[in-house]
Amino acid sequence: MSLCPEVAKFMACGLLSGPWVTSDEPVSEPVWRDTCDVGTLPNQTFPDHTPHLATVDGDKDHGYVLSYLQGQRLSACTCPGESHPGPIRSDGTFVGRAAPEIDVFEAIVNDHVGYVSQSGQWAPFNYKYVWKNTTEETEFNTYIGGVFQQCSSGLSKTNQVCTLSFYPSSNSKYAMGFLQACYEQDGGCFAVYGFEYRPGNDGYILWTNDNEPAWKMYGAGMGPDDNVKIGQRPVPQEPMYMIINLGISPQFGGVDFEHLTFPATMLVDWVRVYQHKDHHNIGCDPPDFPTRDYINTYIEAYTNPNLTTWVDDYKQKVPKNRLVDQC
């Protein structure tokens, strides 16, 4: 894959969010989780604003609150009889469902050097957005989270095969230097990116850059956090789809509008999906994580671009949660 200087992104997302979804995502949390706790509620707090540590030391741009998420709508706390894709356990409770995201890469520029951020997006959030990391060998993204997401992100340089080129300099209009041919321009260089993962509490995600291991995260890293009273957030088990897109964002490096060339192109040579021979799971509606009936029930939310919110525009209700509602 050959990247470009804008925001090139390749990711896998939970099917219930859908690449076509428009109505504020019918499932609002970016991770699958199956515990019934305060993390399923709006802002990760009970109506009395507890636990206290979920209201302090969070996002400095939002009053240091930890979370602005609306809560996990299709949670394990959902009351019987409410709208939920299932499945239902033998005790009558629902399996928690959500919309996880694993990023194969997001392209980043730092001092004219191309990097990729390879990450997982998680909710609910750890206290101060700090997950349980025990290694010092990986270079991590300085961004770890905000009121809408928590991120575990490793950084690594893209392929270092270089081509002679020019780029703007503070000392002169142009300065001679080297840009990575696998990152931008038309050097004809491709690099292989990917991730391997095993779902569940004892699972892992291993990211690769240029066909070599870049960094690995274990499920224990997203274990329970008693500071904010939340349970385990396992490596995603939801059926997932892939998105490859290209955009522009100042959050991933300065945008040089003066010299930017349009149309911009991200070249993709191939995409392959491998599965263990004893663990095949193909399709959008597996029996342990059904999705088809739920999507068809709310198909307008997935297809009408004029519906941008679940409650106000689409006029749907949020399923009752047994922690705060009468079931």
Side-chain angles (χ1 to χ4, degrees):
M1 180 170 288
S2 183
L3 308 182
C4 67
E6 292 77 39
V7 181
K9 185 169 184 176
F10 182 13
M11 61 183 180
C13 294
L15 192 62
L16 282 171
S17 68
W20 51 86
V21 73
T22 59
S23 294
D24 193 26
E25 295 196 357
V27 185
S28 59
E29 288 204 347
V31 72
W32 177 85
R33 58 193 305 271
D34 193 29
T35 55
C36 180
D37 57 42
V38 68
T40 66
L41 299 178
N43 310 114
Q44 285 185 224
T45 58
F46 288 104
D48 63 359
H49 305 295
T50 60
H52 174 67
L53 292 183
T55 65
V56 297
D57 300 325
D59 191 331
K60 64 181 179 62
D61 294 324
H62 294 84
Y64 292 93
V65 172
L66 187 66
S67 173
Y68 271 10
L69 290 183
Q70 300 173 14
Q72 186 180 4
R73 297 182 192 171
L74 305 179
S75 74
C77 301
T78 301
C79 291
E82 294 292 297
S83 180
H84 193 290
I88 301 175
R89 296 187 182 85
S90 58
D91 64 0
T93 61
F94 287 106
V95 171
R97 303 292 301 275
E101 176 184 336
I102 302 175
D103 294 329
V104 181
F105 67 74
E106 292 174 293
I108 292 177
V109 177
N110 185 16
D111 293 331
H112 303 291
V113 178
Y115 288 78
V116 285
S117 165
Q118 298 179 292
S119 63
Q121 313 300 325
W122 308 91
F125 311 147
N126 288 88
Y127 176 54
K128 295 184 177 181
Y129 311 111
V130 178
W131 56 283
K132 298 177 181 179
N133 172 43
T134 59
T135 180
E136 297 180 355
E137 298 178 0
T138 301
E139 180 182 358
F140 288 104
N141 196 329
T142 56
Y143 175 78
I144 57 175
V147 290
F148 295 110
Q149 69 175 143
Q150 179 176 338
C151 179
S152 57
S153 171
L155 294 179
S156 56
K157 290 182 180 179
T158 55
N159 186 295
Q160 295 298 292
V161 175
C162 293
T163 180
L164 190 64
S165 188
F166 295 87
Y167 57 84
S169 168
S170 59
N171 298 323
S172 62
K173 184 176 181 180
Y174 291 99
M176 187 168 66
F178 291 90
L179 295 179
Q180 295 157 108
C182 284
Y183 184 83
E184 63 178 349
Q185 306 301 335
D186 54 359
C189 174
F190 284 81
V192 178
Y193 301 92
F195 70 88
E196 172 186 298
Y197 77 114
R198 184 178 68 202
N201 292 340
D202 60 349
Y204 66 85
I205 309 173
L206 170 65
W207 287 269
T208 59
N209 176 358
D210 202 25
N211 214 28
E212 295 291 337
W215 79 286
K216 188 175 186 178
M217 177 181 183
Y218 291 93
M222 284 295 166
D225 188 339
D226 191 57
N227 288 310
V228 287
K229 309 302 180 185
I230 60 172
Q232 174 83 37
R233 290 138 299 164
V235 175
Q237 293 182 318
E238 290 277 351
M240 304 179 81
Y241 65 92
M242 290 180 286
I243 290 180
I244 306 174
N245 70 346
L246 182 61
I248 295 177
S249 171
Q251 294 179 333
F252 292 83
V255 180
D256 184 10
F257 287 104
E258 182 180 354
H259 301 96
L260 201 59
T261 301
F262 286 104
T265 303
M266 177 169 64
L267 301 178
V268 180
D269 189 28
W270 50 262
V271 177
R272 297 171 185 166
V273 178
Y274 300 90
Q275 292 188 328
H276 191 280
K277 64 179 181 179
D278 297 326
H279 295 89
H280 284 187
N281 186 4
I282 300 174
C284 63
D285 196 38
D288 49 348
F289 289 94
T291 61
R292 187 189 306 274
D293 287 347
Y294 183 85
I295 290 174
N296 286 337
T297 298
Y298 300 104
I299 192 65
E300 189 177 8
Y302 290 82
T303 56
N304 186 345
N306 295 316
L307 300 178
T308 58
T309 59
W310 184 250
V311 175
D312 294 338
D313 288 349
Y314 194 31
K315 308 302 180 185
Q316 299 297 317
K317 66 177 183 178
V318 176
K320 291 181 180 180
N321 184 308
R322 69 174 183 264
L323 293 181
V324 293
D325 299 309
Q326 290 185 344
C327 291

